[in-house]
Amino acid sequence: MGLTANITDFKEALKDWLNRPDLPDSVITDVMTLANGEMQRKLNTRNQMEVEEKTISASEATAQNFYYPGGADGIISITDSKGKKLKPVTFAEYKLYAENSGEEASVFAGAGNEIYIGPKIAADDVFTIQFKNEDSTIPTNYQGSGVISAYNPLLMGSLMYAYMYLKDDNRVALYREKFEDAIQDMNNQSTRTLGLGRIKDDSITQFGGPLA
């Protein structure tokens, strides 16, 4: 499996690694949640970024808005199904774009806990949303199939906690080391490619949108 996976696929992969297809889903969810909580505490802030695919429902098309992804602490970018990145604007600017209903979506604005895309969105439109998430829960999207981007550390951590549940101390120690190594590798990569710390105001535009 690649470096990203949705939650359903990840759970199946975890059972395969454990060779325990009999483990109930509640146990798998618990070990993932424990591993994710520890992982989020140890990862650099920049690694707490997630990507979700959002398909617009009929009711959202009528309302012309939809809710922020769960746990989102600021939208980094929104891209349409053709790969075009939308421009972040203020809500006042969005309202001006919304009057041009004949044009395709080109901008987005946040207001309260909702996202507005203009000039207009329609049912079954698909957008890819990248956002900063400081929540320590397993990421899910609106359809319950959220994308897991930190695949390797989450897998190693989940295996570690699973073997705690199974009372296999030798494998707990093995996967503890692999878990810590995976987190270190990801933090090292973040340091080399992105730098540490919160995105500053003067560099927001290169990431496609404002942070809260």
Side-chain angles (χ1 to χ4, degrees):
M1 186 171 290
L3 295 179
T4 61
N6 66 45
I7 292 171
T8 301
D9 291 343
F10 186 92
K11 288 181 176 180
E12 292 304 313
L14 183 55
K15 289 181 181 180
D16 286 343
W17 273 76
L18 293 165
N19 196 26
R20 289 294 303 268
D22 59 309
L23 285 179
D25 191 70
S26 59
V27 171
I28 296 298
T29 299
D30 285 346
V31 300
M32 287 175 65
T33 301
L34 289 167
N36 189 60
E38 182 171 346
M39 179 182 74
Q40 293 290 357
R41 290 191 297 272
K42 293 180 176 181
L43 283 176
N44 295 335
T45 301
R46 293 293 183 82
N47 283 321
Q48 297 178 24
M49 292 183 183
E50 297 174 18
V51 177
E52 291 185 1
E53 188 175 273
K54 171 62 180 170
T55 301
I56 303 300
S57 68
S59 61
E60 289 165 340
T62 300
Q64 287 296 294
N65 62 56
F66 55 92
Y67 289 111
Y68 271 70
D73 187 37
I75 301 300
I76 298 167
S77 68
I78 298 179
T79 307
D80 68 14
S81 58
K82 298 177 182 178
K84 184 183 72 176
K85 187 172 289 187
L86 307 188
K87 176 184 177 182
V89 297
T90 66
F91 185 66
E93 290 173 317
Y94 156 80
K95 291 170 68 176
L96 294 176
Y97 277 92
E99 295 174 0
N100 302 316
S101 57
E103 299 181 12
E104 62 182 10
S106 59
V107 301
F108 74 91
N113 61 349
E114 295 169 325
I115 297 172
Y116 294 78
I117 293 180
K120 191 175 183 179
I121 55 176
D124 298 325
D125 282 352
V126 178
F127 297 96
T128 299
I129 305 172
Q130 184 184 24
F131 62 96
K132 180 171 176 284
N133 188 350
E134 292 186 340
D135 197 351
S136 62
T137 60
I138 295 295
T140 59
N141 72 0
Y142 306 91
Q143 308 303 322
S145 56
V147 173
I148 298 171
S149 56
Y151 182 89
N152 195 46
L154 184 58
L155 176 61
M156 296 300 108
S158 297
L159 289 167
M160 176 187 71
Y161 278 105
Y163 283 119
M164 287 182 189
Y165 171 80
L166 296 170
K167 298 180 174 57
D168 187 334
D169 292 342
N170 289 332
R171 285 189 171 88
V172 169
L174 171 66
Y175 285 105
R176 163 62 72 183
E177 182 177 358
K178 292 181 179 294
F179 179 46
E180 297 290 349
D181 287 346
I183 288 175
Q184 187 61 50
D185 286 346
M186 199 164 183
N187 282 339
N188 288 343
Q189 182 179 11
S190 175
T191 302
R192 289 194 302 269
T193 59
L194 294 176
L196 297 174
R198 191 175 178 85
I199 298 173
K200 306 300 183 183
D201 290 344
D202 58 0
S203 63
I204 283 175
T205 54
Q206 66 180 296
F207 292 92
L211 293 180

